[in-house]
Amino acid sequence: MASGGKLAAMALLAFLGCVACTCEASYGYPNRLLRSQSPPPSGQVAAPAVLAVGHYNQTCYQAERIVRAAVKKAVYANRGIAAGLIRLFFHDCFVRGCDASILLDETHTNPLPEKLGRPNYRSLRGFEVIDQAKMALEDKCQGVVSCADIIAFAARDATMFLSNGTVQFDMPSGRFDGRVSLASETLPNLPSPFADLKVLTTMFESKGLSLDDMVTLSGAHTVGVSRCSSFADRLRRNTSDPLAMHSTLADSVRKKCRSGSSTVDHDFKTPGDLDSQYYRNVLDGKVLLQSDATLMSSSETEAKVRFHAYYPWVWAGRFKAAMVKMGGIEVKTSANGEIRKQCRFVNAPMTERVYVLSADS
């Protein structure tokens, strides 16, 4: 694959992927189209979904602009919400595909949707941004834009705002919304902060994502926060362990967690910016999670980490492509999905809905 002639060091690495100028051809969506990437869960029939950039140009030409306006307003009020929107996209796509199943609230017929699953409960952010975008879209183009596409657009726009405009890309759309959301499916499908490299690799591969995609997408941990409980074991680890947290960082976060803070920034240097600082932190042992530190447990992933640390512009190009690729996981069509009227509920008579306390309230 093309990579730019001036990056001679790239030729020495077996993991070369696409840079910004070649990401479309490299990730299999020529002519700005993207087919659903990963095989469906066992027992399900694959949906022959095809996504396209500009899907709503004829039916709701303001769609992407409306979503961006909602994201911009939210990010300007609280920059941290942008990291939450990227995480929301990831957690949606890894469970039943990118179908907005993460947005569904509990009802009397489904008391335990995905947002109440252990990895998600009271840790996901951004639901209200999606709601606001959906309300604005329904006002302009009723019944046209899916909630799944709103999540994808919002994650793309959050990436743009957090990178201060340096990481911009087109997000193909045309997804339909799913009708099923089960908390029981979250733990088996979402990578744990305690996962080792073998587990992470297997989980990403099961979604049609490569090892390079996994290392690239891990760079999203340059923004956002983590609960103290997610890395408490690393604060007790023997410092002779090659994957141990750097003592300086360990002392700092230990004090924060003991002082009553329940969360700590992933990136202690540039916590509000989406950049490649994450990879330098991994190299220095200054990351919170086991799932981040484990990237140094093999020569192959260590080489990828070093490359992204030294060539941040290449990482940016690959991150764009990996986000688009992730957005093609198990996409629903009109045959097995719908365009929801409200993102928190499947389309059904209002009399059948029971409103209870929402997980993000």
Side-chain angles (χ1 to χ4, degrees), residues 6-119:
K6 293 184 180 180
L7 299 180
M10 294 173 68
L12 302 176
L13 301 173
F15 63 90
L16 290 182
C18 73
V19 294
C21 62
T22 60
C23 60
E24 291 186 3
S26 301
Y27 277 84
Y29 48 104
N31 300 321
R32 307 181 77 75
L33 295 178
L34 174 71
R35 292 187 179 275
S36 183
Q37 294 293 326
S38 71
S42 177
Q44 294 188 16
V45 177
V50 177
L51 305 179
V53 171
H55 173 79
Y56 296 107
N57 284 353
Q58 301 301 317
T59 56
C60 188
Y61 73 93
Q62 299 180 54
E64 296 188 44
R65 189 184 311 163
I66 289 171
V67 175
R68 178 162 294 191
V71 173
K72 181 179 180 179
K73 181 179 179 180
V75 172
Y76 278 25
N78 175 11
R79 192 172 175 84
I81 203 70
L85 289 168
I86 295 173
R87 186 167 183 256
L88 192 66
F89 181 47
F90 176 86
H91 281 229
D92 182 43
C93 291
F94 263 59
V95 183
R96 289 188 170 266
C98 307
D99 65 350
S101 53
I102 191 63
L103 301 180
L104 291 175
D105 275 355
E106 60 272 38
T107 66
H108 71 288
T109 56
N110 182 25
L112 290 174
E114 287 174 30
K115 63 169 60 174
L116 295 185
R118 186 175 176 183

Side-chain angles (χ1 to χ4, degrees), residues 26-331:
S26 301
Y27 277 84
Y29 48 104
N31 300 321
R32 307 181 77 75
L33 295 178
L34 174 71
R35 292 187 179 275
S36 183
Q37 294 293 326
S38 71
S42 177
Q44 294 188 16
V45 177
V50 177
L51 305 179
V53 171
H55 173 79
Y56 296 107
N57 284 353
Q58 301 301 317
T59 56
C60 188
Y61 73 93
Q62 299 180 54
E64 296 188 44
R65 189 184 311 163
I66 289 171
V67 175
R68 178 162 294 191
V71 173
K72 181 179 180 179
K73 181 179 179 180
V75 172
Y76 278 25
N78 175 11
R79 192 172 175 84
I81 203 70
L85 289 168
I86 295 173
R87 186 167 183 256
L88 192 66
F89 181 47
F90 176 86
H91 281 229
D92 182 43
C93 291
F94 263 59
V95 183
R96 289 188 170 266
C98 307
D99 65 350
S101 53
I102 191 63
L103 301 180
L104 291 175
D105 275 355
E106 60 272 38
T107 66
H108 71 288
T109 56
N110 182 25
L112 290 174
E114 287 174 30
K115 63 169 60 174
L116 295 185
R118 186 175 176 183
N120 298 329
Y121 184 60
R122 295 196 181 281
S123 71
L124 290 178
R125 296 180 291 171
F127 294 107
E128 69 285 355
V129 181
I130 305 301
D131 289 340
Q132 290 164 8
K134 180 63 170 176
M135 288 177 61
L137 286 163
E138 287 296 296
D139 183 58
K140 295 290 185 181
C141 319
Q142 187 174 4
V144 174
V145 182
S146 71
C147 300
D149 280 340
I150 295 173
I151 295 176
F153 291 149
R156 176 206 53 195
D157 295 338
T159 298
M160 187 273 292
F161 286 120
L162 284 174
S163 68
N164 300 307
T166 62
V167 184
Q168 299 190 48
F169 57 97
D170 291 326
M171 176 61 76
S173 52
R175 302 166 185 81
F176 279 71
D177 300 321
R179 300 187 180 96
V180 179
S181 180
L182 301 171
S184 61
E185 295 184 343
T186 55
L187 279 175
N189 286 284
L190 291 170
S192 162
F194 313 107
D196 61 21
L197 186 59
K198 181 178 180 180
V199 170
L200 287 176
T201 302
T202 299
M203 295 187 82
F204 274 74
E205 286 180 348
S206 73
K207 305 301 177 183
L209 299 173
S210 68
L211 185 67
D212 194 59
D213 295 326
M214 187 263 286
V215 176
T216 299
L217 290 169
S218 294
H221 278 175
T222 191
V223 292
V225 298
S226 180
R227 292 176 173 178
C228 291
S229 59
S230 296
F231 55 84
D233 62 316
R234 283 174 48 74
L235 298 178
R236 298 187 293 267
R237 184 169 295 179
N238 190 324
T239 54
S240 62
D241 184 339
L243 298 183
M245 188 185 300
H246 191 283
S247 59
T248 301
L249 179 63
D251 290 342
S252 174
V253 298
R254 190 181 290 113
K255 290 177 182 177
K256 289 181 181 179
C257 292
R258 287 177 177 174
S259 68
S261 175
S262 61
T263 60
V264 176
D265 289 325
H266 276 294
D267 184 349
F268 67 100
K269 285 196 173 182
T270 57
D273 295 328
L274 186 77
D275 53 28
S276 64
Q277 179 63 43
Y278 165 82
Y279 297 101
R280 292 187 285 276
N281 294 344
V282 174
L283 291 174
D284 294 338
K286 295 181 178 180
V287 287
L288 301 176
L289 306 180
Q290 170 67 21
S291 57
D292 291 326
T294 197
L295 297 183
M296 296 295 287
S297 64
S298 86
S299 57
E300 184 177 9
T301 51
E302 179 182 350
K304 296 177 188 296
V305 169
R306 290 188 183 280
F307 185 78
H308 288 325
Y310 298 150
Y311 299 101
W313 59 92
V314 181
W315 167 76
R318 292 182 181 178
F319 187 79
K320 300 174 191 179
M323 286 284 282
V324 170
K325 186 176 180 181
M326 183 172 69
I329 297 175
E330 298 169 36
V331 170

